[in-house]
Amino acid sequence: MDKFDWDHPRHLQPVGEPAGQPVAVTSDAYEAARVSHAVCILIEWEEFTSLGYRRVHDVMQKPAYVLDSRNILDLEKLEDIGFIFYAIGKLLDQ
């Protein structure tokens, strides 16, 4: 029995064949955003506040989402660019 089988309840175990798509790692934020639908900000490093979010939006699939878990980004600016924006502790737009 694999460790996963006894360490996770049945409803959390994978079903079917894996997608087979490899995980890509890059040090370039713009390349990481390419063909993605969402960007998640998980730390408050300055490099994430100074990104060119218009450029990020341009290379992303649409609709394009941003989840800001650290509340470091300007909601109005990102919505003006075209992002659907979510931030921890902030109300969602009606």
Side-chain angles (χ1 to χ4, degrees):
M1 179 181 277
D2 292 335
K3 181 183 184 321
F4 189 88
D5 294 338
W6 56 264
D7 201 24
H8 293 78
R10 181 165 300 295
H11 71 280
L12 295 178
Q13 294 182 22
V15 177
E17 294 298 314
Q21 297 180 354
V23 173
V25 177
T26 180
S27 61
D28 181 80
Y30 303 105
E31 185 60 32
R34 186 173 307 284
V35 294
S36 297
H37 276 283
V39 171
C40 298
I41 306 298
L42 304 175
I43 53 179
E44 63 275 358
W45 292 352
E46 184 180 335
E47 67 186 276
F48 298 111
T49 60
S50 61
L51 281 176
Y53 280 94
R54 184 165 307 282
R55 180 177 167 197
V56 170
H57 186 267
D58 288 346
V59 300
M60 290 179 70
Q61 294 287 315
K62 308 305 182 281
Y65 299 88
V66 170
L67 167 65
D68 180 5
S69 72
R70 307 302 296 169
N71 291 308
I72 62 171
L73 301 176
D74 184 337
L75 166 92
E76 290 179 7
K77 180 179 175 184
L78 291 177
E79 286 181 338
D80 287 345
I81 291 171
F83 282 105
I84 300 168
F85 186 86
Y86 298 95
I88 302 296
K90 293 185 179 178
L91 294 176
L92 297 177
D93 223 4
Q94 298 299 327

